[in-house]
Amino acid sequence: MNPEAGPLRFSLFTLFPELLLPFTQEALLGKAARQGLLAFDVIQLRDFAGNRHHKVDSPPAGGGAGMVIRVDVVERALASLPTPPDEVILLTPAGQPFTQRLAEQLSERQHLALLCGRYEGFDTRVERLATREVSIGDYVMMGGEAAAACIVEAVGRLRPGVIGDAESHRADSFSSGLLDYPEYTRPPVWQDETIPEVLLGGNHAAIERWRRDQALARTLARRPDLLPNAGLSPEDSRTLLALGATVEQLQHWHAPPPPSPKRRRRSPSSSPL
Ligand code: 6GU
């Protein structure tokens, strides 16, 4: 990526700016903003209510509980940006799952707008103002702010210079598609648990192989669903067999992943929604 392109800008639209400000001001994201690597605007949706009471919501058409955020408010809020963003991301549990792959794609953009809902949600016509809808997992939260914080954290750290070399190396280790290997530091013995000999021996090739094997063992035990996309080498396969994986499982993990629903061709008989 071209660092001349300037900072990655996040425009975060919310009814609760105080929830998001710390993520944009503290720790590594705050430092990156001060260095000009990232830029944040936290924008109060209420400022675009267009009425004296700053009211952004109305009861749902057709009746029912709760309140719904008006589409015209969101339209005016987005129109207030000096330039149109590359993406307008609507945060909703009904969105596409947020993954490391999507984080990588978003980190290549220059300007991302994120829309955080509250209450019963947005008028569905807000979808027409969005380039995509994103969910951070299969559970329901009371608003999109925590999801926006997750996205800013995962995307921001992928921009050059935002995290140090050490962490950047670890990032590669997750991007490998496996869970991370375990780390140890002083003291050498704690509650009868010692640091593995290999880590104290200074044989860097042996340490590298041990870490790969640990990553494979943890992924096999905790998240076997990640293995089909992990790009396993023949040596990895031997390790997994030794760890108790079956030949059938290995064949499954080496099979090319199924086509994504978007790319699969619709058969003439399959009916649309
Ligand atoms: Cl993006 N918003 C809300 N309210 N709940 C969620 C979510 C988003 N992603 C998972 N659960």
Side-chain angles (χ1 to χ4, degrees), residues 108-133:
E108 308 274 316
R109 310 283 193 260
Q110 289 180 352
H111 186 184
L112 302 172
L114 275 61
L115 299 175
C116 305
R118 279 268 149 181
Y119 314 127
E120 303 312 301
F122 291 104
D123 183 310
T124 197
R125 293 170 289 185
V126 167
E127 289 164 26
R128 281 169 47 181
L129 301 173
T131 55
R132 70 171 87 223
E133 298 170 54

Short mmCIF file of all heavy atoms in Angstrom, two decimals, residues 108-133:
data_model
loop_
_atom_site.label_atom_id
_atom_site.label_comp_id
_atom_site.label_asym_id
_atom_site.label_seq_id
_atom_site.Cartn_x
_atom_site.Cartn_y
_atom_site.Cartn_z
N GLU A 108 -7.38 -1.03 2.99
CA GLU A 108 -6.84 -0.47 1.73
C GLU A 108 -7.58 0.79 1.30
O GLU A 108 -7.17 1.45 0.35
CB GLU A 108 -6.97 -1.51 0.60
CG GLU A 108 -6.40 -2.87 0.92
CD GLU A 108 -4.91 -2.97 0.63
OE1 GLU A 108 -4.49 -2.49 -0.43
OE2 GLU A 108 -4.18 -3.51 1.50
N ARG A 109 -8.68 1.11 1.96
CA ARG A 109 -9.46 2.30 1.59
C ARG A 109 -8.85 3.56 2.20
O ARG A 109 -7.99 3.48 3.07
CB ARG A 109 -10.91 2.16 2.08
CG ARG A 109 -11.59 0.85 1.72
CD ARG A 109 -12.04 0.82 0.28
NE ARG A 109 -12.95 -0.30 0.07
CZ ARG A 109 -12.60 -1.47 -0.46
NH1 ARG A 109 -11.37 -1.67 -0.88
NH2 ARG A 109 -13.49 -2.44 -0.59
N GLN A 110 -9.36 4.72 1.77
CA GLN A 110 -8.88 5.99 2.33
C GLN A 110 -9.85 6.58 3.33
O GLN A 110 -9.46 7.35 4.20
CB GLN A 110 -8.64 7.00 1.20
CG GLN A 110 -7.44 6.64 0.35
CD GLN A 110 -7.21 7.64 -0.77
OE1 GLN A 110 -8.01 8.53 -1.02
NE2 GLN A 110 -6.09 7.48 -1.44
N HIS A 111 -11.14 6.27 3.17
CA HIS A 111 -12.15 6.91 4.01
C HIS A 111 -13.33 5.97 4.22
O HIS A 111 -13.98 5.57 3.25
CB HIS A 111 -12.61 8.22 3.33
CG HIS A 111 -13.55 9.04 4.18
ND1 HIS A 111 -14.13 10.20 3.70
CD2 HIS A 111 -14.00 8.88 5.44
CE1 HIS A 111 -14.90 10.72 4.65
NE2 HIS A 111 -14.85 9.93 5.71
N LEU A 112 -13.58 5.61 5.47
CA LEU A 112 -14.68 4.71 5.82
C LEU A 112 -15.67 5.45 6.71
O LEU A 112 -15.27 6.05 7.71
CB LEU A 112 -14.16 3.49 6.58
CG LEU A 112 -13.10 2.64 5.87
CD1 LEU A 112 -12.55 1.58 6.83
CD2 LEU A 112 -13.69 1.97 4.63
N ALA A 113 -16.95 5.43 6.37
CA ALA A 113 -18.00 5.94 7.26
C ALA A 113 -18.68 4.75 7.92
O ALA A 113 -19.01 3.76 7.25
CB ALA A 113 -19.01 6.77 6.48
N LEU A 114 -18.88 4.82 9.24
CA LEU A 114 -19.54 3.75 9.99
C LEU A 114 -20.79 4.32 10.66
O LEU A 114 -20.70 5.35 11.34
CB LEU A 114 -18.59 3.17 11.06
CG LEU A 114 -17.63 2.06 10.62
CD1 LEU A 114 -16.67 2.53 9.55
CD2 LEU A 114 -16.83 1.53 11.81
N LEU A 115 -21.91 3.65 10.46
CA LEU A 115 -23.19 4.10 11.03
C LEU A 115 -23.57 3.20 12.20
O LEU A 115 -23.82 2.01 12.02
CB LEU A 115 -24.30 4.03 9.97
CG LEU A 115 -24.13 4.88 8.71
CD1 LEU A 115 -25.26 4.58 7.73
CD2 LEU A 115 -24.12 6.36 9.08
N CYS A 116 -23.62 3.79 13.40
CA CYS A 116 -23.97 3.03 14.61
C CYS A 116 -25.44 3.25 14.93
O CYS A 116 -25.84 4.39 15.20
CB CYS A 116 -23.14 3.48 15.79
SG CYS A 116 -21.37 3.42 15.53
N GLY A 117 -26.21 2.20 14.95
CA GLY A 117 -27.62 2.29 15.33
C GLY A 117 -27.81 2.10 16.82
O GLY A 117 -26.93 1.60 17.50
N ARG A 118 -28.97 2.50 17.31
CA ARG A 118 -29.39 2.28 18.71
C ARG A 118 -30.87 1.98 18.66
O ARG A 118 -31.48 1.97 17.59
CB ARG A 118 -29.13 3.53 19.57
CG ARG A 118 -27.71 3.64 20.02
CD ARG A 118 -27.52 2.98 21.37
NE ARG A 118 -26.17 2.43 21.51
CZ ARG A 118 -25.75 1.79 22.59
NH1 ARG A 118 -26.55 1.63 23.62
NH2 ARG A 118 -24.55 1.28 22.62
N TYR A 119 -31.52 1.81 19.78
CA TYR A 119 -32.94 1.57 19.85
C TYR A 119 -33.29 0.36 18.97
O TYR A 119 -32.56 -0.62 18.94
CB TYR A 119 -33.75 2.81 19.45
CG TYR A 119 -33.24 4.07 20.09
CD1 TYR A 119 -32.94 5.19 19.34
CD2 TYR A 119 -33.04 4.14 21.47
CE1 TYR A 119 -32.45 6.34 19.94
CE2 TYR A 119 -32.56 5.28 22.08
CZ TYR A 119 -32.27 6.38 21.31
OH TYR A 119 -31.78 7.50 21.90
N GLU A 120 -34.41 0.44 18.26
CA GLU A 120 -34.83 -0.72 17.47
C GLU A 120 -34.10 -0.78 16.13
O GLU A 120 -34.28 -1.71 15.36
CB GLU A 120 -36.35 -0.69 17.22
CG GLU A 120 -37.17 -0.64 18.50
CD GLU A 120 -36.73 -1.68 19.52
OE1 GLU A 120 -36.78 -2.88 19.19
OE2 GLU A 120 -36.34 -1.30 20.64
N GLY A 121 -33.31 0.27 15.82
CA GLY A 121 -32.54 0.24 14.58
C GLY A 121 -32.87 1.40 13.67
O GLY A 121 -33.52 2.36 14.07
N PHE A 122 -32.38 1.30 12.44
CA PHE A 122 -32.61 2.33 11.44
C PHE A 122 -33.83 1.97 10.60
O PHE A 122 -34.13 0.79 10.41
CB PHE A 122 -31.41 2.40 10.48
CG PHE A 122 -30.15 2.93 11.09
CD1 PHE A 122 -29.11 2.08 11.43
CD2 PHE A 122 -29.99 4.29 11.31
CE1 PHE A 122 -27.93 2.57 11.96
CE2 PHE A 122 -28.82 4.79 11.85
CZ PHE A 122 -27.78 3.93 12.18
N ASP A 123 -34.47 2.97 10.06
CA ASP A 123 -35.41 2.78 8.95
C ASP A 123 -34.66 1.97 7.88
O ASP A 123 -33.51 2.28 7.56
CB ASP A 123 -35.82 4.16 8.41
CG ASP A 123 -36.85 4.09 7.30
OD1 ASP A 123 -36.65 3.31 6.32
OD2 ASP A 123 -37.84 4.83 7.37
N THR A 124 -35.29 0.92 7.37
CA THR A 124 -34.60 0.01 6.45
C THR A 124 -34.08 0.72 5.20
O THR A 124 -33.15 0.25 4.55
CB THR A 124 -35.50 -1.19 6.08
OG1 THR A 124 -34.70 -2.22 5.53
CG2 THR A 124 -36.59 -0.78 5.09
N ARG A 125 -34.67 1.88 4.89
CA ARG A 125 -34.22 2.60 3.69
C ARG A 125 -32.81 3.16 3.84
O ARG A 125 -32.17 3.53 2.85
CB ARG A 125 -35.24 3.70 3.36
CG ARG A 125 -36.59 3.10 2.91
CD ARG A 125 -37.68 4.13 2.80
NE ARG A 125 -38.11 4.63 4.12
CZ ARG A 125 -39.12 5.47 4.30
NH1 ARG A 125 -39.82 5.90 3.25
NH2 ARG A 125 -39.44 5.88 5.52
N VAL A 126 -32.27 3.16 5.07
CA VAL A 126 -30.87 3.55 5.29
C VAL A 126 -29.93 2.61 4.52
O VAL A 126 -28.83 3.00 4.12
CB VAL A 126 -30.53 3.56 6.80
CG1 VAL A 126 -29.04 3.65 7.05
CG2 VAL A 126 -31.24 4.72 7.49
N GLU A 127 -30.39 1.37 4.27
CA GLU A 127 -29.56 0.42 3.52
C GLU A 127 -29.15 0.99 2.17
O GLU A 127 -28.08 0.68 1.65
CB GLU A 127 -30.31 -0.91 3.32
CG GLU A 127 -30.44 -1.68 4.63
CD GLU A 127 -31.48 -2.78 4.56
OE1 GLU A 127 -31.76 -3.31 3.47
OE2 GLU A 127 -32.04 -3.11 5.64
N ARG A 128 -30.00 1.84 1.59
CA ARG A 128 -29.67 2.42 0.28
C ARG A 128 -28.57 3.46 0.36
O ARG A 128 -27.99 3.84 -0.66
CB ARG A 128 -30.92 3.00 -0.38
CG ARG A 128 -31.74 1.89 -0.99
CD ARG A 128 -33.10 2.29 -1.44
NE ARG A 128 -33.14 3.54 -2.21
CZ ARG A 128 -34.27 4.08 -2.67
NH1 ARG A 128 -35.42 3.47 -2.43
NH2 ARG A 128 -34.24 5.19 -3.34
N LEU A 129 -28.28 3.95 1.55
CA LEU A 129 -27.19 4.91 1.74
C LEU A 129 -25.88 4.20 2.06
O LEU A 129 -24.83 4.82 2.11
CB LEU A 129 -27.54 5.89 2.87
CG LEU A 129 -28.82 6.70 2.70
CD1 LEU A 129 -29.12 7.49 3.98
CD2 LEU A 129 -28.67 7.65 1.51
N ALA A 130 -25.96 2.88 2.31
CA ALA A 130 -24.79 2.11 2.73
C ALA A 130 -24.20 1.32 1.56
O ALA A 130 -24.93 0.92 0.65
CB ALA A 130 -25.17 1.15 3.86
N THR A 131 -22.90 1.12 1.58
CA THR A 131 -22.26 0.25 0.59
C THR A 131 -22.23 -1.20 1.08
O THR A 131 -22.11 -2.12 0.29
CB THR A 131 -20.81 0.69 0.30
OG1 THR A 131 -20.09 0.73 1.54
CG2 THR A 131 -20.78 2.07 -0.34
N ARG A 132 -22.30 -1.39 2.40
CA ARG A 132 -22.41 -2.75 2.94
C ARG A 132 -22.92 -2.68 4.37
O ARG A 132 -22.85 -1.64 5.03
CB ARG A 132 -21.09 -3.50 2.85
CG ARG A 132 -20.01 -3.01 3.77
CD ARG A 132 -18.82 -3.95 3.75
NE ARG A 132 -17.86 -3.64 2.70
CZ ARG A 132 -17.28 -4.56 1.93
NH1 ARG A 132 -17.58 -5.83 2.06
NH2 ARG A 132 -16.39 -4.21 1.03
N GLU A 133 -23.44 -3.84 4.83
CA GLU A 133 -23.88 -3.99 6.22
C GLU A 133 -22.98 -5.03 6.86
O GLU A 133 -22.68 -6.06 6.25
CB GLU A 133 -25.34 -4.44 6.25
CG GLU A 133 -26.28 -3.43 5.61
CD GLU A 133 -27.67 -3.99 5.42
OE1 GLU A 133 -28.26 -4.45 6.41
OE2 GLU A 133 -28.14 -3.99 4.27
#
